[in-house]
Amino acid sequence: PKVNEELTLSPSQTNIVQAMKGTRLKDSTMVMFSRLFNDLIILSGMKTESRDEVIELCEITYKFMLKSHPNTTIEEIREAYTVGKQGKLETKIFRELNYASISDVLLDYEEYKKEQIGAYIQNQTLFKKEEPEPLSENDARKALYEFFKESWVIASYGDIDRLRGVIVYDYLK
C-alpha cells in the first residue's frame, strides 16, 4: 500500500510505518534472519558461549518465528527491540534471546504500535486508497459480453427480464 504523504507523522510513527513495509519473515531467508538475530543479541545484551550455540539458537528461533509470526517484518522485530531498549515497552529486554522472549517483545510492540498509529489505521487515512486501473476498450467489451451472456442464461429462468433492463440501464447511465 502507498503511504498517505499528506499526514504528519511523529518520528516514532514514521519508524513504525517504515518497519511495516519491510520484508516479511515468510519471504525472508536464513541469512536475513541471522543478521537480525545478531542485532538482537547486541540490543538484548545477551552473553554467548560459542558461535555454534548462537547459530543453533538462531536456526531454531527462525523456524518457530516462521510458524507463529510469518507476516511480521524483520524490520518490525528490529524496531520492537529498539523501542524496548528505549523503555517504551512494558516487556523488559533481559540478557536472553529465544523464541519466547522475542514473542513477548513482539506482542508488547503490537500494543505500542496500536497506540502510536491506531487512530490513523482505524480511520484508514494512513494508506492512500488505490484507484483501480481503468479497463481498456477491449476488456470493457469482453466484460459487457460476459454480462449479457450470463443474463441471457439467467433470463431463461423466468422473471429476470425486468431486472436485466434495470441493470443495463444503471450500467449504461
Side-chain angles (χ1 to χ4, degrees), residues 29-51:
T29 63
M30 185 62 196
V31 172
M32 294 167 80
F33 188 79
S34 65
R35 288 183 187 140
L36 167 70
F37 201 76
N38 286 331
D39 291 347
L40 298 183
I41 288 172
I42 293 167
L43 286 168
S44 68
M46 179 179 142
K47 304 284 185 211
T48 59
E49 296 295 321
S50 70
R51 185 171 189 264

Side-chain angles (χ1 to χ4, degrees), residues 12-24 71-80 109 113:
S12 62
Q13 291 169 330
T14 301
N15 290 343
I16 291 169
V17 170
Q18 291 301 320
M20 290 168 60
K21 295 172 16 180
T23 305
R24 302 204 180 286
N71 292 315
T72 301
T73 68
I74 287 179
E75 292 77 5
E76 282 180 302
I77 298 170
R78 186 175 287 114
E79 180 66 13
Y109 176 73
K113 186 166 73 170

Side-chain angles (χ1 to χ4, degrees), residues 132-148:
E133 293 183 27
L135 290 176
S136 68
E137 187 175 331
N138 193 30
D139 288 342
R141 286 180 188 209
K142 285 180 184 176
L144 197 55
Y145 169 78
E146 289 297 320
F147 169 77
F148 283 120

Side-chain angles (χ1 to χ4, degrees), residues 50-94:
S50 70
R51 185 171 189 264
D52 292 336
E53 175 192 354
V54 172
I55 291 171
E56 183 180 353
L57 183 60
C58 179
E59 289 173 350
I60 292 169
T61 304
Y62 182 58
K63 290 175 186 175
F64 281 115
M65 294 298 291
L66 277 175
K67 289 179 184 174
S68 61
H69 302 282
N71 292 315
T72 301
T73 68
I74 287 179
E75 292 77 5
E76 282 180 302
I77 298 170
R78 186 175 287 114
E79 180 66 13
Y81 269 78
T82 302
V83 169
K85 273 309 256 190
Q86 295 169 354
K88 295 180 181 177
L89 300 180
E90 291 194 24
T91 301
K92 301 299 178 211
I93 297 176
F94 296 108

Side-chain angles (χ1 to χ4, degrees), residues 155 158-169:
D159 196 33
I160 194 70
D161 287 327
R162 287 185 315 201
L163 180 60
R164 182 171 27 152
V166 170
I167 293 172
V168 171
Y169 175 77

